[in-house]
Amino acid sequence: MNFVPSLKMMRMTAAIVVPAAGFGLFLQDSGALLLFLIALFVLVAVTDLWMSLDRLTGIGISGPAMARLLRDRPGTIELCLDRPVGPGLTRLRLALPLLEGLQYPHHEMTILLPEGATLYRVLWDCLPVKRGDYPLEACHLEADSRLGLWQIRDRRPLASQVRVYPNIQQEARATAALFMNRGLHGIHALRKAGKGREFEKIRDYVHGDNYADIHWKATAKRNRPVTKVFQIERTQEVYAVVDFSRLSARACESGRRTGSPHTLAGPGVVGAGESESETYLERFINSALVLGMAAQQQGDHFGLATFSDRTHRVLTARSGRGHFNSCRDMLYGLFPQTVTPDFEEVFATLQLKLRKRALLVFLTNLDDPLLSEHFINSIEGLVRKHLILVVTLRPKGCRPVFSPGTIRTPGDVYEALGGHMQWHALAETERILQHKGVHFLQTDDESLAVGLVAGYLNIKRRQLL
């Protein structure tokens, strides 16, 4: 506990002590009276402080064990004051410590305590601007002394944590049109190409059946032709494999996130400052969660894997709201690492842990020639068992040299040539991967989620899995 002079005390000191001390230099006869006046003021101030030291005694404050918020979306932190009513205490000021990923509209909050209340709830507005966990370890209290000459301050410990999750509202709105009248059931069912790959039953051979579908063991056992019947797979496994190595720290071409209409502005805003530029990893995380929502809507199981220079976690594919929350908990704390990805290690791990054939969606960057060569040389074994979809973001300026509107100044010629070399390298990588049976998707950062979900639905429609 500590105490500081209030503004009221400073004004009274300027109005009483300073003039009395000045007059005492010139009025020798009134010196004793002026000295008595100063001593009386000091005595009143000391007495007020002594009688107000217990001003905050008995006041407890608690917060939620976990406050869950969404990035770039205003939220509240709920605090609870226990036994706030003291002798003559009607006003209390609170202050929270500044957290790296949060903005506050006000640095402190003044609350009026109702008479006779034993509990008081405080809602503290904030705007999360960065994903992650932020421990809320203390809350600072301040109350005026009985005469208002002092401000009594104290600190109350808190055992709370603020968890900021990725905000996928922008991506979910962008992909909503892909699911209109396209469910797997109902009168607007999406047409499937092919006969299906999942075995359903056997039946007697009828004229027109494909010879490749004949069940030869059953035919020999029953002494008559028997055909296998297949059905369209209803439940498949989809995995998003997120790369958070060094290249994922690059800023997107579109710059700062544009989908959030909520901002805190004004001179009173404190905290983390402006929201950071959107990185490739932010797009990867949001798109992976949107893909999980799409997979659950289509009746598939969704899983996750994260890697950098090694495989960090592999979450087995499942479905349901609880599993989606587990996926979100797995991704919210990912931040780019300054390491080079090891594709050979992650491919070996996936081959070992994934027994059933699945769609593996790699969210990574292959515009680096060495990394793309490493990826191509290491993926042979994984392609034999699983269906691979590689999704990469198109770097800034990556386009053919003769694209319209790219050349305006002589300096643009060299930038266009550099962009053309990147475009040609990615086109060559795409050609080699397609030759190996790997699907390749190159898209802009703003349309990543839409392109990813559209590619997934196309694979479902064509029954490639």
Side-chain angles (χ1 to χ4, degrees), residues 399-417:
R399 60 178 65 90
V401 67
F402 295 110
S403 299
T406 57
I407 306 299
R408 294 183 178 85
T409 64
D412 294 340
V413 176
Y414 300 98
E415 294 184 4
L417 288 175

Side-chain angles (χ1 to χ4, degrees), residues 238-244 281 284-285 288 291 302-308 310-314 330-331 334 342-343 346-347 349-350 354 358-365 375 382 387-391 452:
V238 180
Y239 283 85
V241 187
V242 181
D243 176 11
F244 63 104
L281 181 59
F284 288 165
I285 290 176
L291 177 62
F302 177 72
L304 274 176
T306 57
F307 73 97
S308 57
R310 60 183 177 86
T311 306
H312 289 258
R313 287 191 61 186
V314 177
M330 179 176 169
L331 291 176
L334 287 186
D342 188 349
F343 294 116
V346 69
F347 292 161
T349 303
L350 293 177
L354 304 184
L359 170 62
L360 304 182
V361 181
F362 281 85
L363 298 167
T364 184
N365 302 280
F375 188 92
L382 198 63
L387 181 64
I388 310 298
L389 172 61
V390 179
V391 182
L452 177 57

